[in-house]
Amino acid sequence: MGYKSMWGPGEAGVPADLRPDVPHPARMYDYYLGGKDNFPADRAAAEKALAANPEFRSTARANRGFLTRAVTYVAGLGLDQFLDIGTGIPTAGNTHEIAQAVTPAARVVYVDNDPIVLSHARALMTGAGPGRSTVLQADLREPDALLEAVRAERVIDFERPVALVLAAVLHFLREEDEPYRVLGTLLEALPSGSHLVLSHGTADFIPASVRDRVTGVYDRATAPLVGRSQEEVRAFFDGLELLEPGVVTVPLWRPDAPPAPGAERVSMYGAVARKP
């Protein structure tokens, strides 16, 4: 599907299938980061979430820092294939830019199910570095179909180690979506030596009243927000070799500088692990 084919005859150039009147987590996240690829409904919902928990904005930025450090580290280990699922609205420091800064020939496949994400990501691929990058539309909740779509692109060689990136996306899957099964299916398709880069929102440091207000905002959006405990996040890494320092709040994962006060209570866990 080409870039322009995403756009239907909607009003004022707005894609026909974006549902701009319904808040979308990817566009709300873009707003937290100071981006402009969002609609009034997204901004209004994001402001309600920020009113309940003003740390959402700093948490989003801390997660971007984690992504940069984790992808840089994994690329430095020699991995040159990245499967980034639920990438969100493109912003500075995307996975292909980070990986190709280390390994110029690195290949990256982005997967998302939001039309605005796909449109912007495809535009971003224009003029990308010497490595190959592509963007696919698929749903994380259907991992077998997602993997089939990735294989059909022939960008990633599943006979060689792959870095699977799931940054701030699994917390949009409810328990009935079986997030552990979904991740297990994805990991099963990857060979030994592959790595998992994962971050996940948590309510461990948030009062119940604040948590309920925030989840109420996301319940009215296109996807819920399910904050999981540190133990629940650690369970995503069962069967893998967790790299030091393990599952920690994202500012504490191999920081480049001394973390700011309160870093141990940021509402996002992150970790990197190797498949044996």
Side-chain angles (χ1 to χ4, degrees):
M1 191 182 321
Y3 174 63
K4 290 185 178 179
S5 69
M6 295 295 299
W7 300 80
E11 298 179 3
V14 174
D17 53 354
L18 290 188
R19 300 178 65 193
D21 57 324
V22 180
H24 192 289
R27 301 192 296 256
M28 292 170 65
Y29 188 76
D30 174 70
Y31 180 74
Y32 298 145
L33 289 172
K36 302 182 184 302
D37 297 308
N38 45 71
F39 296 115
D42 305 310
R43 296 190 284 274
E47 285 295 341
K48 288 180 181 178
L50 287 167
N53 183 8
E55 295 181 2
F56 258 111
R57 183 163 279 133
S58 59
T59 298
R61 291 171 178 164
N63 182 62
R64 293 298 298 188
F66 163 76
L67 176 67
T68 298
R69 297 191 305 277
V71 170
T72 298
Y73 179 79
V74 171
L77 295 177
L79 277 79
D80 60 359
Q81 303 187 108
F82 292 80
L83 175 55
D84 186 337
I85 302 175
T87 179
I89 304 290
T91 187
N94 297 285
T95 296
H96 77 281
E97 296 169 322
I98 302 165
Q100 290 172 4
V102 179
T103 304
R107 296 183 168 204
V108 179
V109 174
Y110 292 105
V111 181
D112 208 290
N113 66 346
D114 182 11
I116 197 170
V117 169
L118 296 162
S119 296
H120 281 275
R122 287 190 173 110
L124 183 70
M125 292 303 101
T126 302
R132 186 175 175 190
S133 303
T134 191
V135 186
L136 303 177
Q137 183 168 14
D139 195 323
L140 176 59
R141 293 167 295 186
E142 300 174 357
D144 290 311
L146 185 154
L147 288 167
E148 182 179 353
V150 173
R151 289 192 181 97
E153 287 294 306
R154 299 184 182 278
V155 173
I156 287 180
D157 177 2
F158 283 87
E159 298 299 316
R160 299 193 299 111
V162 176
L164 173 62
V165 180
L166 291 164
V169 63
L170 285 174
H171 50 229
F172 295 125
L173 270 60
R174 293 187 173 94
E175 294 309 314
E176 53 264 37
D177 295 320
E178 301 181 277
Y180 296 99
R181 177 193 62 81
V182 165
L183 179 57
T185 299
L186 295 173
L187 289 171
E188 187 177 0
L190 306 183
S192 175
S194 294
H195 282 62
L196 171 64
V197 174
L198 184 151
S199 60
H200 193 296
T202 183
D204 281 357
F205 315 113
I206 300 175
S209 59
V210 174
R211 180 196 63 210
D212 292 344
R213 288 172 62 192
V214 169
T215 55
V217 171
Y218 278 86
D219 283 344
R220 291 186 288 275
T222 60
L225 182 62
V226 183
R228 295 186 169 91
S229 69
Q230 187 176 29
E231 287 304 311
E232 289 173 319
V233 174
R234 188 176 286 114
F236 284 115
F237 297 91
D238 285 352
L240 303 178
E241 299 171 355
L242 261 176
L243 305 185
E244 292 294 335
V247 178
V248 295
T249 58
V250 286
L252 299 184
W253 196 90
R254 305 191 180 215
D256 297 325
E264 73 282 358
R265 296 181 64 83
V266 168
S267 298
M268 184 85 68
Y269 289 118
V272 177
R274 179 184 182 276
K275 181 176 179 179

